Amino acid sequence: MGPLVVSMPRTKYNNASSSSSIQDAPSSQLIGGSNEEDMMTGWQMSSRLSKKISWPIFVACAIHSDLSTGGMEGMGAGYSGLLSQKAAALAEREIGRILMEVKKSI
């Protein structure tokens, strides 16, 4: 399990004092990790999903560390970085789709 992050949706009262309504959802790291890329990816994913779904979202992300140790040595650093970004984007999109379906059914 990678770093664990929680994001909470903004309420109408949070945006009342801000000049911009395009702010990210407030996030907090619950469990740290050694890979900084995993931490940033978790923060970004949880923040965007929480903003989209308007629910609290917990994300544990270990995509970058798994790909860097999973036999990608011969591919080069740029390839594994691009692959991990694509994997994170696809995971976020699919999770968002599933959560939206669940939200509509409630």
PDB file of all heavy atoms in Angstrom, residues 34-67:
ATOM      1  N   SER A  34       7.744   6.690   0.773  1.00  0.00           N
ATOM      2  CA  SER A  34       9.095   7.059   0.369  1.00  0.00           C
ATOM      3  C   SER A  34       9.150   7.656  -1.037  1.00  0.00           C
ATOM      4  O   SER A  34      10.089   8.363  -1.372  1.00  0.00           O
ATOM      5  CB  SER A  34      10.011   5.839   0.432  1.00  0.00           C
ATOM      6  OG  SER A  34       9.525   4.829  -0.431  1.00  0.00           O
ATOM      7  N   ASN A  35       8.146   7.399  -1.857  1.00  0.00           N
ATOM      8  CA  ASN A  35       8.148   7.876  -3.227  1.00  0.00           C
ATOM      9  C   ASN A  35       7.306   9.156  -3.326  1.00  0.00           C
ATOM     10  O   ASN A  35       6.089   9.129  -3.143  1.00  0.00           O
ATOM     11  CB  ASN A  35       7.593   6.800  -4.160  1.00  0.00           C
ATOM     12  CG  ASN A  35       7.804   7.125  -5.613  1.00  0.00           C
ATOM     13  OD1 ASN A  35       7.727   8.288  -6.025  1.00  0.00           O
ATOM     14  ND2 ASN A  35       8.080   6.109  -6.403  1.00  0.00           N
ATOM     15  N   GLU A  36       7.953  10.249  -3.648  1.00  0.00           N
ATOM     16  CA  GLU A  36       7.273  11.539  -3.728  1.00  0.00           C
ATOM     17  C   GLU A  36       6.262  11.590  -4.875  1.00  0.00           C
ATOM     18  O   GLU A  36       5.232  12.250  -4.773  1.00  0.00           O
ATOM     19  CB  GLU A  36       8.308  12.651  -3.884  1.00  0.00           C
ATOM     20  CG  GLU A  36       7.800  14.005  -3.485  1.00  0.00           C
ATOM     21  CD  GLU A  36       8.913  15.014  -3.385  1.00  0.00           C
ATOM     22  OE1 GLU A  36       9.917  14.745  -2.688  1.00  0.00           O
ATOM     23  OE2 GLU A  36       8.771  16.070  -4.014  1.00  0.00           O
ATOM     24  N   GLU A  37       6.553  10.899  -5.968  1.00  0.00           N
ATOM     25  CA  GLU A  37       5.619  10.880  -7.105  1.00  0.00           C
ATOM     26  C   GLU A  37       4.306  10.202  -6.727  1.00  0.00           C
ATOM     27  O   GLU A  37       3.240  10.650  -7.136  1.00  0.00           O
ATOM     28  CB  GLU A  37       6.257  10.177  -8.300  1.00  0.00           C
ATOM     29  CG  GLU A  37       7.391  10.958  -8.920  1.00  0.00           C
ATOM     30  CD  GLU A  37       8.022  10.210 -10.073  1.00  0.00           C
ATOM     31  OE1 GLU A  37       7.312   9.447 -10.757  1.00  0.00           O
ATOM     32  OE2 GLU A  37       9.221  10.397 -10.285  1.00  0.00           O
ATOM     33  N   ASP A  38       4.380   9.130  -5.944  1.00  0.00           N
ATOM     34  CA  ASP A  38       3.170   8.454  -5.478  1.00  0.00           C
ATOM     35  C   ASP A  38       2.350   9.377  -4.585  1.00  0.00           C
ATOM     36  O   ASP A  38       1.122   9.417  -4.679  1.00  0.00           O
ATOM     37  CB  ASP A  38       3.511   7.182  -4.702  1.00  0.00           C
ATOM     38  CG  ASP A  38       3.910   6.032  -5.598  1.00  0.00           C
ATOM     39  OD1 ASP A  38       3.543   6.066  -6.795  1.00  0.00           O
ATOM     40  OD2 ASP A  38       4.569   5.103  -5.117  1.00  0.00           O
ATOM     41  N   MET A  39       3.014  10.134  -3.735  1.00  0.00           N
ATOM     42  CA  MET A  39       2.299  11.054  -2.849  1.00  0.00           C
ATOM     43  C   MET A  39       1.579  12.131  -3.650  1.00  0.00           C
ATOM     44  O   MET A  39       0.407  12.420  -3.414  1.00  0.00           O
ATOM     45  CB  MET A  39       3.264  11.683  -1.836  1.00  0.00           C
ATOM     46  CG  MET A  39       3.730  10.708  -0.776  1.00  0.00           C
ATOM     47  SD  MET A  39       4.650  11.475   0.552  1.00  0.00           S
ATOM     48  CE  MET A  39       6.250  11.674  -0.203  1.00  0.00           C
ATOM     49  N   MET A  40       2.252  12.712  -4.627  1.00  0.00           N
ATOM     50  CA  MET A  40       1.635  13.764  -5.440  1.00  0.00           C
ATOM     51  C   MET A  40       0.485  13.213  -6.286  1.00  0.00           C
ATOM     52  O   MET A  40      -0.554  13.852  -6.417  1.00  0.00           O
ATOM     53  CB  MET A  40       2.678  14.426  -6.340  1.00  0.00           C
ATOM     54  CG  MET A  40       3.646  15.316  -5.591  1.00  0.00           C
ATOM     55  SD  MET A  40       2.848  16.592  -4.598  1.00  0.00           S
ATOM     56  CE  MET A  40       1.999  17.530  -5.829  1.00  0.00           C
ATOM     57  N   THR A  41       0.676  12.032  -6.843  1.00  0.00           N
ATOM     58  CA  THR A  41      -0.386  11.414  -7.646  1.00  0.00           C
ATOM     59  C   THR A  41      -1.610  11.139  -6.781  1.00  0.00           C
ATOM     60  O   THR A  41      -2.742  11.410  -7.191  1.00  0.00           O
ATOM     61  CB  THR A  41       0.111  10.111  -8.294  1.00  0.00           C
ATOM     62  OG1 THR A  41       1.238  10.411  -9.123  1.00  0.00           O
ATOM     63  CG2 THR A  41      -0.969   9.455  -9.122  1.00  0.00           C
ATOM     64  N   GLY A  42      -1.410  10.637  -5.570  1.00  0.00           N
ATOM     65  CA  GLY A  42      -2.517  10.387  -4.659  1.00  0.00           C
ATOM     66  C   GLY A  42      -3.259  11.659  -4.291  1.00  0.00           C
ATOM     67  O   GLY A  42      -4.486  11.694  -4.265  1.00  0.00           O
ATOM     68  N   TRP A  43      -2.511  12.731  -4.015  1.00  0.00           N
ATOM     69  CA  TRP A  43      -3.124  14.022  -3.690  1.00  0.00           C
ATOM     70  C   TRP A  43      -3.984  14.511  -4.850  1.00  0.00           C
ATOM     71  O   TRP A  43      -5.116  14.948  -4.664  1.00  0.00           O
ATOM     72  CB  TRP A  43      -2.044  15.065  -3.401  1.00  0.00           C
ATOM     73  CG  TRP A  43      -1.509  15.040  -2.017  1.00  0.00           C
ATOM     74  CD1 TRP A  43      -0.755  14.042  -1.461  1.00  0.00           C
ATOM     75  CD2 TRP A  43      -1.674  16.021  -1.005  1.00  0.00           C
ATOM     76  NE1 TRP A  43      -0.437  14.361  -0.181  1.00  0.00           N
ATOM     77  CE2 TRP A  43      -0.983  15.575   0.126  1.00  0.00           C
ATOM     78  CE3 TRP A  43      -2.326  17.237  -0.958  1.00  0.00           C
ATOM     79  CZ2 TRP A  43      -0.946  16.303   1.300  1.00  0.00           C
ATOM     80  CZ3 TRP A  43      -2.276  17.963   0.212  1.00  0.00           C
ATOM     81  CH2 TRP A  43      -1.600  17.492   1.330  1.00  0.00           C
ATOM     82  N   GLN A  44      -3.420  14.470  -6.043  1.00  0.00           N
ATOM     83  CA  GLN A  44      -4.133  14.980  -7.210  1.00  0.00           C
ATOM     84  C   GLN A  44      -5.375  14.145  -7.521  1.00  0.00           C
ATOM     85  O   GLN A  44      -6.447  14.694  -7.808  1.00  0.00           O
ATOM     86  CB  GLN A  44      -3.194  15.012  -8.418  1.00  0.00           C
ATOM     87  CG  GLN A  44      -2.087  16.031  -8.275  1.00  0.00           C
ATOM     88  CD  GLN A  44      -0.994  15.859  -9.311  1.00  0.00           C
ATOM     89  OE1 GLN A  44      -0.936  14.861 -10.023  1.00  0.00           O
ATOM     90  NE2 GLN A  44      -0.102  16.836  -9.384  1.00  0.00           N
ATOM     91  N   MET A  45      -5.237  12.813  -7.466  1.00  0.00           N
ATOM     92  CA  MET A  45      -6.374  11.941  -7.759  1.00  0.00           C
ATOM     93  C   MET A  45      -7.496  12.151  -6.741  1.00  0.00           C
ATOM     94  O   MET A  45      -8.661  12.298  -7.119  1.00  0.00           O
ATOM     95  CB  MET A  45      -5.938  10.477  -7.759  1.00  0.00           C
ATOM     96  CG  MET A  45      -5.122  10.077  -8.956  1.00  0.00           C
ATOM     97  SD  MET A  45      -4.511   8.389  -8.854  1.00  0.00           S
ATOM     98  CE  MET A  45      -6.012   7.471  -9.091  1.00  0.00           C
ATOM     99  N   SER A  46      -7.159  12.161  -5.464  1.00  0.00           N
ATOM    100  CA  SER A  46      -8.202  12.297  -4.446  1.00  0.00           C
ATOM    101  C   SER A  46      -8.875  13.658  -4.526  1.00  0.00           C
ATOM    102  O   SER A  46     -10.093  13.769  -4.375  1.00  0.00           O
ATOM    103  CB  SER A  46      -7.634  12.050  -3.050  1.00  0.00           C
ATOM    104  OG  SER A  46      -6.732  13.069  -2.676  1.00  0.00           O
ATOM    105  N   SER A  47      -8.106  14.688  -4.790  1.00  0.00           N
ATOM    106  CA  SER A  47      -8.666  16.036  -4.875  1.00  0.00           C
ATOM    107  C   SER A  47      -9.636  16.165  -6.049  1.00  0.00           C
ATOM    108  O   SER A  47     -10.748  16.679  -5.897  1.00  0.00           O
ATOM    109  CB  SER A  47      -7.539  17.059  -5.006  1.00  0.00           C
ATOM    110  OG  SER A  47      -8.044  18.349  -5.112  1.00  0.00           O
ATOM    111  N   ARG A  48      -9.223  15.676  -7.214  1.00  0.00           N
ATOM    112  CA  ARG A  48     -10.098  15.774  -8.392  1.00  0.00           C
ATOM    113  C   ARG A  48     -11.348  14.912  -8.239  1.00  0.00           C
ATOM    114  O   ARG A  48     -12.450  15.335  -8.601  1.00  0.00           O
ATOM    115  CB  ARG A  48      -9.330  15.387  -9.651  1.00  0.00           C
ATOM    116  CG  ARG A  48      -8.350  16.454 -10.104  1.00  0.00           C
ATOM    117  CD  ARG A  48      -7.804  16.146 -11.469  1.00  0.00           C
ATOM    118  NE  ARG A  48      -6.995  14.939 -11.492  1.00  0.00           N
ATOM    119  CZ  ARG A  48      -5.664  14.918 -11.548  1.00  0.00           C
ATOM    120  NH1 ARG A  48      -4.981  16.042 -11.588  1.00  0.00           N
ATOM    121  NH2 ARG A  48      -5.016  13.781 -11.581  1.00  0.00           N
ATOM    122  N   LEU A  49     -11.190  13.701  -7.696  1.00  0.00           N
ATOM    123  CA  LEU A  49     -12.356  12.828  -7.520  1.00  0.00           C
ATOM    124  C   LEU A  49     -13.324  13.405  -6.492  1.00  0.00           C
ATOM    125  O   LEU A  49     -14.532  13.359  -6.682  1.00  0.00           O
ATOM    126  CB  LEU A  49     -11.908  11.423  -7.109  1.00  0.00           C
ATOM    127  CG  LEU A  49     -11.284  10.576  -8.217  1.00  0.00           C
ATOM    128  CD1 LEU A  49     -10.636   9.330  -7.636  1.00  0.00           C
ATOM    129  CD2 LEU A  49     -12.324  10.213  -9.265  1.00  0.00           C
ATOM    130  N   SER A  50     -12.805  13.958  -5.410  1.00  0.00           N
ATOM    131  CA  SER A  50     -13.665  14.550  -4.391  1.00  0.00           C
ATOM    132  C   SER A  50     -14.421  15.753  -4.941  1.00  0.00           C
ATOM    133  O   SER A  50     -15.605  15.941  -4.652  1.00  0.00           O
ATOM    134  CB  SER A  50     -12.840  14.969  -3.175  1.00  0.00           C
ATOM    135  OG  SER A  50     -13.657  15.521  -2.184  1.00  0.00           O
ATOM    136  N   LYS A  51     -13.753  16.530  -5.746  1.00  0.00           N
ATOM    137  CA  LYS A  51     -14.403  17.692  -6.364  1.00  0.00           C
ATOM    138  C   LYS A  51     -15.486  17.243  -7.349  1.00  0.00           C
ATOM    139  O   LYS A  51     -16.571  17.822  -7.403  1.00  0.00           O
ATOM    140  CB  LYS A  51     -13.343  18.530  -7.078  1.00  0.00           C
ATOM    141  CG  LYS A  51     -13.845  19.839  -7.624  1.00  0.00           C
ATOM    142  CD  LYS A  51     -12.697  20.624  -8.215  1.00  0.00           C
ATOM    143  CE  LYS A  51     -13.166  21.931  -8.803  1.00  0.00           C
ATOM    144  NZ  LYS A  51     -12.074  22.678  -9.397  1.00  0.00           N
ATOM    145  N   LYS A  52     -15.220  16.183  -8.088  1.00  0.00           N
ATOM    146  CA  LYS A  52     -16.156  15.692  -9.097  1.00  0.00           C
ATOM    147  C   LYS A  52     -17.381  15.016  -8.462  1.00  0.00           C
ATOM    148  O   LYS A  52     -18.515  15.241  -8.885  1.00  0.00           O
ATOM    149  CB  LYS A  52     -15.432  14.692 -10.011  1.00  0.00           C
ATOM    150  CG  LYS A  52     -16.272  14.075 -11.085  1.00  0.00           C
ATOM    151  CD  LYS A  52     -15.425  13.131 -11.927  1.00  0.00           C
ATOM    152  CE  LYS A  52     -16.237  12.495 -13.034  1.00  0.00           C
ATOM    153  NZ  LYS A  52     -15.416  11.583 -13.846  1.00  0.00           N
ATOM    154  N   ILE A  53     -17.162  14.200  -7.441  1.00  0.00           N
ATOM    155  CA  ILE A  53     -18.216  13.386  -6.852  1.00  0.00           C
ATOM    156  C   ILE A  53     -18.899  14.094  -5.679  1.00  0.00           C
ATOM    157  O   ILE A  53     -20.026  13.777  -5.331  1.00  0.00           O
ATOM    158  CB  ILE A  53     -17.643  12.029  -6.369  1.00  0.00           C
ATOM    159  CG1 ILE A  53     -16.838  11.336  -7.461  1.00  0.00           C
ATOM    160  CG2 ILE A  53     -18.734  11.102  -5.865  1.00  0.00           C
ATOM    161  CD1 ILE A  53     -17.617  10.929  -8.659  1.00  0.00           C
ATOM    162  N   SER A  54     -18.204  15.036  -5.056  1.00  0.00           N
ATOM    163  CA  SER A  54     -18.687  15.731  -3.846  1.00  0.00           C
ATOM    164  C   SER A  54     -18.829  14.779  -2.662  1.00  0.00           C
ATOM    165  O   SER A  54     -19.757  14.897  -1.860  1.00  0.00           O
ATOM    166  CB  SER A  54     -20.013  16.449  -4.100  1.00  0.00           C
ATOM    167  OG  SER A  54     -19.843  17.436  -5.076  1.00  0.00           O
ATOM    168  N   TRP A  55     -17.931  13.838  -2.568  1.00  0.00           N
ATOM    169  CA  TRP A  55     -17.849  12.904  -1.445  1.00  0.00           C
ATOM    170  C   TRP A  55     -16.432  12.933  -0.902  1.00  0.00           C
ATOM    171  O   TRP A  55     -15.485  13.234  -1.646  1.00  0.00           O
ATOM    172  CB  TRP A  55     -18.123  11.471  -1.903  1.00  0.00           C
ATOM    173  CG  TRP A  55     -19.535  11.123  -2.204  1.00  0.00           C
ATOM    174  CD1 TRP A  55     -20.650  11.870  -1.972  1.00  0.00           C
ATOM    175  CD2 TRP A  55     -19.981   9.911  -2.793  1.00  0.00           C
ATOM    176  NE1 TRP A  55     -21.760  11.200  -2.386  1.00  0.00           N
ATOM    177  CE2 TRP A  55     -21.386   9.984  -2.896  1.00  0.00           C
ATOM    178  CE3 TRP A  55     -19.351   8.770  -3.249  1.00  0.00           C
ATOM    179  CZ2 TRP A  55     -22.162   8.963  -3.427  1.00  0.00           C
ATOM    180  CZ3 TRP A  55     -20.118   7.755  -3.779  1.00  0.00           C
ATOM    181  CH2 TRP A  55     -21.512   7.858  -3.864  1.00  0.00           C
ATOM    182  N   PRO A  56     -16.233  12.540   0.360  1.00  0.00           N
ATOM    183  CA  PRO A  56     -14.861  12.336   0.852  1.00  0.00           C
ATOM    184  C   PRO A  56     -14.232  11.158   0.098  1.00  0.00           C
ATOM    185  O   PRO A  56     -14.883  10.140  -0.123  1.00  0.00           O
ATOM    186  CB  PRO A  56     -15.041  11.997   2.331  1.00  0.00           C
ATOM    187  CG  PRO A  56     -16.417  12.451   2.673  1.00  0.00           C
ATOM    188  CD  PRO A  56     -17.225  12.370   1.421  1.00  0.00           C
ATOM    189  N   ILE A  57     -12.992  11.320  -0.316  1.00  0.00           N
ATOM    190  CA  ILE A  57     -12.309  10.288  -1.098  1.00  0.00           C
ATOM    191  C   ILE A  57     -10.986   9.930  -0.425  1.00  0.00           C
ATOM    192  O   ILE A  57     -10.196  10.811  -0.079  1.00  0.00           O
ATOM    193  CB  ILE A  57     -12.030  10.776  -2.539  1.00  0.00           C
ATOM    194  CG1 ILE A  57     -13.328  11.146  -3.257  1.00  0.00           C
ATOM    195  CG2 ILE A  57     -11.231   9.749  -3.328  1.00  0.00           C
ATOM    196  CD1 ILE A  57     -14.226   9.977  -3.587  1.00  0.00           C
ATOM    197  N   PHE A  58     -10.733   8.640  -0.257  1.00  0.00           N
ATOM    198  CA  PHE A  58      -9.469   8.134   0.258  1.00  0.00           C
ATOM    199  C   PHE A  58      -8.727   7.468  -0.896  1.00  0.00           C
ATOM    200  O   PHE A  58      -9.308   6.651  -1.614  1.00  0.00           O
ATOM    201  CB  PHE A  58      -9.699   7.100   1.364  1.00  0.00           C
ATOM    202  CG  PHE A  58     -10.266   7.676   2.632  1.00  0.00           C
ATOM    203  CD1 PHE A  58     -11.627   7.907   2.763  1.00  0.00           C
ATOM    204  CD2 PHE A  58      -9.424   7.987   3.688  1.00  0.00           C
ATOM    205  CE1 PHE A  58     -12.154   8.437   3.922  1.00  0.00           C
ATOM    206  CE2 PHE A  58      -9.943   8.516   4.863  1.00  0.00           C
ATOM    207  CZ  PHE A  58     -11.309   8.742   4.981  1.00  0.00           C
ATOM    208  N   VAL A  59      -7.450   7.799  -1.069  1.00  0.00           N
ATOM    209  CA  VAL A  59      -6.649   7.208  -2.141  1.00  0.00           C
ATOM    210  C   VAL A  59      -5.323   6.731  -1.567  1.00  0.00           C
ATOM    211  O   VAL A  59      -4.624   7.477  -0.882  1.00  0.00           O
ATOM    212  CB  VAL A  59      -6.371   8.223  -3.278  1.00  0.00           C
ATOM    213  CG1 VAL A  59      -5.380   7.664  -4.278  1.00  0.00           C
ATOM    214  CG2 VAL A  59      -7.658   8.615  -3.979  1.00  0.00           C
ATOM    215  N   ALA A  60      -4.981   5.484  -1.844  1.00  0.00           N
ATOM    216  CA  ALA A  60      -3.659   4.934  -1.553  1.00  0.00           C
ATOM    217  C   ALA A  60      -3.039   4.592  -2.902  1.00  0.00           C
ATOM    218  O   ALA A  60      -3.569   3.768  -3.644  1.00  0.00           O
ATOM    219  CB  ALA A  60      -3.758   3.699  -0.666  1.00  0.00           C
ATOM    220  N   CYS A  61      -1.943   5.241  -3.242  1.00  0.00           N
ATOM    221  CA  CYS A  61      -1.372   5.122  -4.579  1.00  0.00           C
ATOM    222  C   CYS A  61       0.074   4.642  -4.506  1.00  0.00           C
ATOM    223  O   CYS A  61       0.891   5.241  -3.804  1.00  0.00           O
ATOM    224  CB  CYS A  61      -1.453   6.490  -5.262  1.00  0.00           C
ATOM    225  SG  CYS A  61      -0.762   6.502  -6.903  1.00  0.00           S
ATOM    226  N   ALA A  62       0.384   3.583  -5.223  1.00  0.00           N
ATOM    227  CA  ALA A  62       1.754   3.078  -5.303  1.00  0.00           C
ATOM    228  C   ALA A  62       2.099   2.731  -6.749  1.00  0.00           C
ATOM    229  O   ALA A  62       2.775   1.750  -7.010  1.00  0.00           O
ATOM    230  CB  ALA A  62       1.925   1.866  -4.398  1.00  0.00           C
ATOM    231  N   ILE A  63       1.629   3.525  -7.678  1.00  0.00           N
ATOM    232  CA  ILE A  63       1.835   3.237  -9.102  1.00  0.00           C
ATOM    233  C   ILE A  63       3.286   3.433  -9.505  1.00  0.00           C
ATOM    234  O   ILE A  63       3.878   2.581 -10.155  1.00  0.00           O
ATOM    235  CB  ILE A  63       0.906   4.117  -9.968  1.00  0.00           C
ATOM    236  CG1 ILE A  63      -0.544   3.708  -9.736  1.00  0.00           C
ATOM    237  CG2 ILE A  63       1.272   4.017 -11.441  1.00  0.00           C
ATOM    238  CD1 ILE A  63      -1.549   4.566 -10.444  1.00  0.00           C
ATOM    239  N   HIS A  64       3.892   4.542  -9.127  1.00  0.00           N
ATOM    240  CA  HIS A  64       5.250   4.847  -9.555  1.00  0.00           C
ATOM    241  C   HIS A  64       6.269   3.884  -8.964  1.00  0.00           C
ATOM    242  O   HIS A  64       7.153   3.414  -9.663  1.00  0.00           O
ATOM    243  CB  HIS A  64       5.612   6.288  -9.188  1.00  0.00           C
ATOM    244  CG  HIS A  64       4.761   7.299  -9.866  1.00  0.00           C
ATOM    245  ND1 HIS A  64       5.003   7.739 -11.144  1.00  0.00           N
ATOM    246  CD2 HIS A  64       3.630   7.936  -9.470  1.00  0.00           C
ATOM    247  CE1 HIS A  64       4.078   8.609 -11.498  1.00  0.00           C
ATOM    248  NE2 HIS A  64       3.220   8.749 -10.498  1.00  0.00           N
ATOM    249  N   SER A  65       6.138   3.575  -7.677  1.00  0.00           N
ATOM    250  CA  SER A  65       7.100   2.675  -7.055  1.00  0.00           C
ATOM    251  C   SER A  65       6.948   1.253  -7.584  1.00  0.00           C
ATOM    252  O   SER A  65       7.929   0.536  -7.726  1.00  0.00           O
ATOM    253  CB  SER A  65       6.963   2.703  -5.535  1.00  0.00           C
ATOM    254  OG  SER A  65       5.653   2.390  -5.143  1.00  0.00           O
ATOM    255  N   ASP A  66       5.713   0.815  -7.904  1.00  0.00           N
ATOM    256  CA  ASP A  66       5.510  -0.523  -8.459  1.00  0.00           C
ATOM    257  C   ASP A  66       6.118  -0.644  -9.849  1.00  0.00           C
ATOM    258  O   ASP A  66       6.727  -1.637 -10.187  1.00  0.00           O
ATOM    259  CB  ASP A  66       4.023  -0.866  -8.533  1.00  0.00           C
ATOM    260  CG  ASP A  66       3.421  -1.172  -7.180  1.00  0.00           C
ATOM    261  OD1 ASP A  66       4.203  -1.320  -6.208  1.00  0.00           O
ATOM    262  OD2 ASP A  66       2.193  -1.243  -7.082  1.00  0.00           O
ATOM    263  N   LEU A  67       5.960   0.386 -10.672  1.00  0.00           N
ATOM    264  CA  LEU A  67       6.489   0.322 -12.034  1.00  0.00           C
ATOM    265  C   LEU A  67       8.005   0.450 -12.064  1.00  0.00           C
ATOM    266  O   LEU A  67       8.658  -0.132 -12.910  1.00  0.00           O
ATOM    267  CB  LEU A  67       5.861   1.418 -12.899  1.00  0.00           C
ATOM    268  CG  LEU A  67       4.401   1.194 -13.266  1.00  0.00           C
ATOM    269  CD1 LEU A  67       3.854   2.399 -14.007  1.00  0.00           C
ATOM    270  CD2 LEU A  67       4.230  -0.053 -14.095  1.00  0.00           C
TER     271      LEU A  67
END
